[in-house]
């Protein structure tokens, strides 16, 4: 093409559609005013594509999302490139398609066989990782099994501490007899999905090992800096306080007792255990201060060298090292990326902490680990940081709390008010996430964090750092004592807030659509600057009302059919089997919206139970429901079983029931539960049934290749 042709094509503009009432022009003016915020939506659009892949059931619909995104981009490109709205739609369509394709590719890339069914087997392989869990008196081994063993390539085995052989280190080749199980799906709808997490982690089986454990070949002589540092910290501070101390340094939380961990969760302080922005900021700040002070001792360096730039560089290297030391989990990686960008901005003389920095960190995490989007760690971490940065980017809020010449009393009051407002905003941002994933949220978190965050940042972590440094010359004991006192105070705050009246909000069943509305509304409010952001209040309010209007489940049945929890007339849940473990009890209580011990079903007034069978009558929605269940593995005579089924509306069993067993409404035996997984039922005029396995779902972990020893 000649110069004239190129000149003709170059400035070509596509016409902007003439929408009624000048809507297009208004949109263009709005986007022009928000042009600095448009980059913030890049990780949001990628996240939308990732979320669509997890929400939709099969490849046909995943492909439709990708093609739909490309179609939107092509249509916007065809309509007009001159407008900012058209360009935004092009990028939105492309990014949604990219997100869906990226997580799909990732899920297929990590594909690995899983164990077909529970089995007691000999596990022979190389120990990749050793995770001590002293609070539970266990040690967790991650073992890469030998090829040809008939086992998945990677299994996880828990050993009792007393069964742990001397000298076992990562890299050792071991033989251990273990009872392995496939990764467990959610026990009931809304519960933790370990099956999905294990798929992306490459785990094909988990279980319990038995003594003796044979070490066939020694591992590395050095057990690793992280393990040695964890053991050193726990030797200086005992109990759960030592577990928290280790978590702050290495990210290892195995020594924290379940009672203290639950108190931290209920009080809204559990985020302190996850190495994230608070910890990385403290490490970076301390490093910069120390390097600056040391280098400034030399007049020559102070006058001739850019000490702040050097200190920032050293702090960046320290941040990367700290991230690797603590296991490089998603919150830590995000915080490290953010810290590096802050340091780079400081070196260049730019504003350091902005929403662009947060968006870039989210973008990096989603490109590397797209599956992290659906985990509570990613969601809570970015929600908290986004809420804080968006709050302080507001000019009015910044004017309230900026430094000024005033007395110490006003300065203190302003600082306390700033902390309180920050804590309140973070609690508002995190509450829907906590309720959706954990079905509970602490109500006093903002108050507890006002004391806990400064205590951790300015007392505990500096004392720990000094203790580690002075241990090199044997003088660290006073500093460890100071750290321990701070940690004991932190635990006291956690237990006090957790046990206060009305400390916990419970919400057992939040529909995915309600949660999505609140997320979309919250992101809309946080990322825009003009008044249009106020429109985000509508989906947030709609989602909240939808969630609150969703009735609690009346009957929860685990996927194996062994356990059920039934809501009685008093509102409490009663448990079928008295010998249910703590995990089952906690899972059923949380997903049933109960913050109390579950009583035995056999002890309820309307229950008739024997050692083998149980029948309970409850009234809901103006009618009586008769729920029957088996309680043991013993055989019940055929005629008796058929008559028992016929008298019930719902029958639940962990075995295959005969064809003649026909209840009036629903039969949940092993055959049915293998197809549905765990079940949640709400009675009433229009009973609803929610299952773990969605009809037609074809995600890779649901159709994984299975292996069995000896086959």
């Amino acid at each position: 093409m000649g110069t004239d042709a190129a000149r003709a094509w170059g400035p070509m503009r596509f016409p902007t559609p003439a929408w009624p009432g000048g809507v297009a022009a208004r949109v263009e003016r709005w986007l022009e005013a928000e042009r600095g915020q448009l980059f913030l939506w890049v990780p949001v659009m990628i996240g939308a594509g990732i979320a669509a892949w997890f929400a939709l059931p099969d490849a046909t619909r995943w492909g439709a999302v990708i093609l739909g995104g490309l179609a939107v981009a092509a249509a916007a490109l065809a309509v007009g490139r001159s407008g900012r709205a058209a360009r935004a739609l092009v990028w939105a369509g492309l990014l949604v398609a990219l997100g869906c394709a990226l997580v799909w590719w990732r899920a297929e890339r990590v594909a690995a066989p899983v164990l077909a069914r529970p089995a007691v087997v000999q596990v022979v392989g190389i120990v990749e990782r050793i995770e001590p869990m002293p609070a539970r008196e266990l040690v967790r081994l991650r073992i890469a099994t030998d090829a040809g063993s008939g086992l998945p390539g990677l299994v996880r085995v828990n050993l009792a501490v007393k069964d742990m052989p001397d000298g076992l280190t990562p890299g050792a080749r071991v033989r251990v007899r273990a009872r392995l199980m496939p990764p467990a799906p959610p026990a009931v709808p809304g519960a933790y999905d370990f099956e999905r997490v294990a798929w992306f982690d490459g785990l094909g089986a988990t279980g319990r090992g038995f003594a003796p454990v044979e070490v066939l070949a020694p591992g590395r002589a050095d057990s690793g800096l992280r393990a040695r540092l964890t053991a050193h910290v726990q030797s200086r501070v005992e109990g759960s306080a030592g577990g928290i101390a280790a978590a702050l340094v290495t990210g290892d939380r195995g020594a924290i007792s379940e009672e203290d961990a639950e108190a931290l969760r209920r009080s809204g302080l559990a985020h302190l255990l996850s190495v994230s922005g608070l910890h990385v900021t403290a490490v970076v700040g301390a490093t910069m201060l120390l390097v600056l002070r040391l280098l400034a001792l030399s007049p020559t360096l102070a006058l001739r060298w850019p000490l702040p730039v050097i200190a920032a560089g050293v702090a960046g290297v320290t941040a990367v090292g700290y991230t690797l030391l603590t296991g490089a989990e998603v919150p830590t990686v995000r915080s490290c990326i953010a810290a590096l960008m802050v340091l780079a901005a400081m070196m260049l003389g730019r504003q350091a902490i902005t929403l662009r920095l947060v968006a870039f960190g989210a973008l990096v995490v989603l490109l590397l680990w797209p599956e992290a989007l659906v985990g509570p760690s990613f969601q809570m971490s970015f929600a908290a940081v986004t809420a804080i940065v968006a709050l302080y980017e507001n000019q009015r809020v910044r004017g309230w709390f900026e430094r000024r010449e005033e007395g110490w009393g006003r300065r203190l009051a302003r600082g306390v008010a700033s902390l309180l407002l920050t804590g309140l905003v973070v609690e508002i941002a995190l509450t829907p996430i906590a309720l959706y994933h954990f079905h509970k949220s602490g109500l006093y978190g903002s108050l507890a964090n006002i004391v806990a965050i400064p205590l951790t940042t300015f007392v505990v972590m500096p004392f720990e750092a000094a203790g580690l440094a002075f241990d090199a010359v044997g003088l660290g004991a006073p500093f460890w004592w100071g750290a321990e006192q701070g940690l004991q105070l932190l635990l006291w705050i956690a237990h006090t807030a957790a046990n206060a009246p009305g400390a916990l909000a419970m919400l057992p069943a939040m529909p995915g659509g309600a949660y999505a509305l609140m997320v979309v509304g919250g992101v809309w409010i946080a990322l825009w600057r003009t008044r249009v952001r106020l429109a985000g209040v509508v989906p947030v309010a709609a989602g909240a009302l939808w969630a609150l209007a969703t009735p609690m489940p009346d009957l929860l049945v685990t996927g194996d059919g062994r356990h059920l929890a039934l809501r009685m007339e008093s509102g409490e849940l009663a448990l079928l089997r008295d010998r249910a473990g703590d995990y089952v009890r906690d899972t059923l209580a949380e997903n049933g919206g109960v913050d109390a011990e579950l009583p035995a079903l056999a002890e309820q007034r309307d229950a008739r139970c024997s050692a083998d069978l149980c029948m309970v009558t409850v009234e809901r929605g103006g009618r009586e429901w008769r729920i029957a269940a088996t309680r043991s593995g013993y055989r019940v005579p055929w005629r008796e079983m058929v008559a028992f089924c016929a008298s019930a509306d719902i029958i639940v069993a962990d075995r295959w029931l005969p064809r003649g067993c026909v209840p009036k409404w629903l039969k949940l035996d092993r055959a049915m539960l293998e197809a549905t997984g765990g079940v949640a039922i709400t009675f009433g005029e229009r009973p609803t049934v929610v299952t773990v396995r969605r009809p037609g779902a074809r995600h890779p972990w649901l159709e994984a290749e299975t292996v069995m020893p000896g086959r």
Side-chain angles (χ1 to χ4, degrees), residues 301-317:
L301 293 177
L303 293 173
R304 298 184 179 181
W305 291 84
L307 299 191
V309 174
I310 296 173
V314 175
V317 173

Side-chain angles (χ1 to χ4, degrees), residues 614-633:
C614 198
M615 176 75 75
V616 189
T617 302
V618 296
E619 185 175 346
R620 295 287 192 280
R623 63 160 290 187
E624 284 189 347
W625 291 85
R626 293 168 62 84
I627 296 92
T630 61
R631 302 184 73 204
S632 73

Side-chain angles (χ1 to χ4, degrees), residues 471-488:
D471 273 348
V473 292
L475 299 176
F479 300 101
W480 287 115
W481 180 86
E484 183 174 8
Q485 301 312 304
L487 291 166
Q488 293 295 348

Side-chain angles (χ1 to χ4, degrees), residues 192-504:
Y192 178 62
D193 193 349
F194 179 66
E195 184 180 35
R196 184 189 68 208
V197 173
W199 176 264
F200 285 101
D201 201 26
L203 281 176
T206 63
R208 183 69 180 261
F210 312 108
V213 180
E214 300 179 62
V215 179
L216 305 178
R220 299 189 293 271
D222 185 358
S223 60
L225 176 60
R226 186 185 185 194
R228 288 187 286 113
L229 196 54
T230 298
H232 178 79
V233 171
Q234 292 173 359
S235 70
R236 295 295 186 269
V237 183
E238 297 181 350
S240 289
I244 298 174
L248 296 176
V249 177
T250 67
D252 191 324
R253 291 170 275 184
I256 304 172
S257 70
E258 183 56 36
E259 179 184 0
D260 290 329
E262 179 64 15
L264 289 163
R265 286 191 291 268
R266 291 168 62 97
S267 61
L269 301 180
H271 67 94
L272 297 175
L273 304 180
S274 176
V275 178
S276 55
L278 173 67
H279 311 80
V280 174
T281 300
V283 169
V284 168
T287 302
M288 284 196 66
L289 180 63
L290 182 62
V291 172
L292 278 173
R293 295 295 186 189
L294 290 176
L295 294 180
L297 295 176
S298 168
T300 302
L301 293 177
L303 293 173
R304 298 184 179 181
W305 291 84
L307 299 191
V309 174
I310 296 173
V314 175
V317 173
T318 304
V320 173
Y322 183 54
T323 300
L324 296 175
L325 175 65
T326 55
E329 296 183 355
V330 170
T332 321
V333 172
R334 187 269 306 161
S335 302
C336 181
I337 294 170
L340 294 177
M341 292 189 66
V342 168
L343 293 171
M346 291 174 61
M347 291 179 178
L348 297 173
R350 303 286 297 273
Q351 183 178 352
I353 303 176
T354 64
L355 283 175
R356 282 177 168 263
L357 179 146
V358 179
F360 183 78
L363 179 62
V364 171
V365 172
L366 291 178
L367 291 177
L368 296 178
W369 303 284
E371 71 277 8
L373 177 81
V374 295
S377 176
F378 176 94
Q379 294 174 18
M380 298 185 85
S381 175
F382 278 98
V385 175
T386 300
I388 293 171
V389 177
L391 176 67
Y392 284 93
E393 280 193 351
N394 183 280
Q395 295 294 334
R396 181 175 298 178
V397 174
R398 189 182 300 174
W400 290 344
F401 300 115
E402 66 184 2
R403 292 186 177 183
R404 62 196 70 186
E405 293 294 330
E406 58 186 354
W408 67 269
R410 286 181 174 272
R411 190 179 303 122
L412 178 61
R414 198 178 299 279
V416 171
S418 174
L419 283 174
L420 184 59
L421 179 62
T422 302
L424 183 61
V425 169
V426 169
E427 284 299 312
I428 293 173
L430 297 186
T431 294
I433 303 173
L435 291 175
Y436 180 74
H437 288 285
F438 309 120
H439 311 288
K440 56 186 176 182
S441 177
L443 298 180
Y444 302 134
S446 57
L447 295 175
N449 276 289
I450 287 178
V451 180
I453 290 178
L455 175 66
T456 304
T457 307
F458 301 115
V459 177
V460 174
M461 293 187 71
F463 269 107
E464 279 197 65
L468 289 170
F470 280 90
D471 273 348
V473 292
L475 299 176
F479 300 101
W480 287 115
W481 180 86
E484 183 174 8
Q485 301 312 304
L487 291 166
Q488 293 295 348
L489 177 57
L490 178 65
L491 286 171
W492 178 83
I493 294 170
H495 282 279
T496 301
N499 296 325
L504 206 62

Side-chain angles (χ1 to χ4, degrees), residues 559 651 653 655-657 665-679 691 693:
I651 178 73
R655 65 185 77 172
W656 283 279
L657 295 176
W665 191 61
L666 186 61
K667 180 179 178 180
L668 294 174
D669 64 347
R670 180 175 293 185
M672 176 64 75
L673 290 170
E674 283 183 350
T676 64
V679 174
T691 61
R693 302 285 195 207

